[in-house]
Amino acid sequence: RFEVDDLALSDPAGQPLLGFKRLLVDFELRSVIDGAWTFAEATLEAPVLHFSLDKDGRHNFASLLERLPKSEPDQQDQGLPRFIVQRVALTDGRIEFSDQLLDDPLVARIEPLLVEIDNLSSLPGHAASYRLSARSAADEAVESSGELALNPIVSKGKLTLSGLQVATLVRSLPRLLAVDSPAGKLALGASFDLAVDAGGTLSGLVQDLDFAVAELSLSAAGAASPLLAIGRLSLQQGRVDLTTRQASLA
């Protein structure tokens, strides 16, 4: 067993970078029998990540990354090591993001963040079950659950986005969209069955796709009336086939 409590890392100026309340890794001696590194659990409690961009576009991890020793590139792809982790859990996570490049700095927080994976393995054909949940301070939420295999990379399950504020998207794209006081909410739901081959090509299906926009309003700077206003827009029962490059909506 390997355990670390109350770890905190800061940048040279003393500003926090990341930390966590507790890390626990429980290694199993049965690795000799399984022929793969086997862990009963890997748990990370209350991790916190602070990521920021200053007014010059430099992120707060730059100094740390620059101090790391440079390694020579490995010419041979050895693939993933053989491993089995019976349970992976990340609980009570928090991500804090700030962008000082904008005239009005963008500050966002995602909390709580939860990731649970059962029977994660790099062995061929082994699939793990997973659950992911995250929520922002503005009550925007993402939920996903399903199966995940690493060798080859295959994932299928469901994804739901709810309450996504249009203002959040517009503020993160100020160089493309110059609008005042955007309003509205987005929602998205879909099921997916995706795979990535050895060459990195993504294939598979996204189906049961539902997308909705409610009370959307976009106005140009200083304009008396909105450029675009939509009470409600709904697209339902969509299907996207990445292999044949075809998409349809009911």
Side-chain angles (χ1 to χ4, degrees):
R1 291 167 64 91
F2 174 74
E3 189 170 358
V4 179
D5 293 326
D6 299 317
L7 177 72
L9 293 180
S10 302
D11 65 14
Q15 297 300 313
L17 291 174
L18 56 87
F20 54 79
K21 181 179 179 181
R22 180 172 181 254
L23 169 66
L24 171 65
V25 179
D26 189 353
F27 181 69
E28 296 278 270
L29 291 177
R30 59 179 286 187
S31 297
V32 178
I33 300 175
D34 293 337
W37 298 104
T38 304
F39 301 86
E41 69 173 309
T43 302
L44 186 61
E45 298 179 6
V48 180
L49 171 66
H50 302 267
F51 188 88
S52 63
L53 294 170
D54 63 20
K55 294 183 178 181
D56 297 322
R58 182 179 170 88
H59 61 77
N60 57 329
F61 282 83
S63 296
L64 174 63
L65 296 177
E66 289 168 357
R67 292 170 181 263
L68 295 178
K70 301 295 188 296
S71 59
E72 294 295 329
D74 190 354
Q75 300 299 325
Q76 294 183 345
D77 184 6
Q78 303 295 330
L80 289 174
R82 293 170 61 87
F83 69 84
I84 301 170
V85 186
Q86 296 172 8
R87 178 167 176 78
V88 177
L90 184 156
T91 59
D92 296 326
R94 185 170 89 243
I95 299 175
E96 296 185 353
F97 172 80
S98 64
D99 186 350
Q100 303 297 324
L101 282 168
L102 309 178
D103 295 334
D104 182 13
L106 173 63
V107 179
R109 172 182 287 186
I110 297 174
E111 181 185 23
L113 173 63
L114 168 71
V115 179
E116 296 177 334
I117 307 175
D118 291 324
N119 297 316
L120 181 65
S121 173
S122 64
L123 303 183
H126 282 229
S129 60
Y130 78 90
R131 175 175 169 249
L132 181 148
S133 173
R135 188 173 294 274
S136 75
D139 208 29
E140 302 158 312
V142 57
E143 301 275 350
S144 183
S145 61
E147 296 182 356
L148 172 65
L150 300 179
N151 188 12
I153 298 176
V154 177
S155 182
K156 60 181 179 181
K158 294 183 178 181
L159 172 67
T160 303
L161 300 174
S162 59
L164 182 59
Q165 307 258 1
V166 173
T168 301
L169 297 178
V170 171
R171 288 194 62 200
S172 63
L173 299 172
R175 295 166 186 81
L176 299 178
L177 298 172
V179 297
D180 280 348
S181 303
K185 290 185 178 182
L186 308 178
L188 172 71
S191 59
F192 57 88
D193 189 346
L194 304 173
V196 179
D197 63 19
T201 301
L202 179 65
S203 62
L205 286 173
V206 178
Q207 52 192 353
D208 302 324
L209 177 62
D210 292 335
F211 175 76
V213 180
E215 304 301 330
L216 175 65
S217 176
L218 300 177
S219 300
S225 59
L227 286 170
L228 174 67
I230 296 177
R232 180 172 177 82
L233 169 66
S234 178
L235 304 176
Q236 297 180 343
Q237 298 179 34
R239 185 177 188 272
V240 180
D241 190 327
L242 299 176
T243 304
T244 61
R245 298 184 181 181
Q246 294 182 335
S248 63
L249 287 162

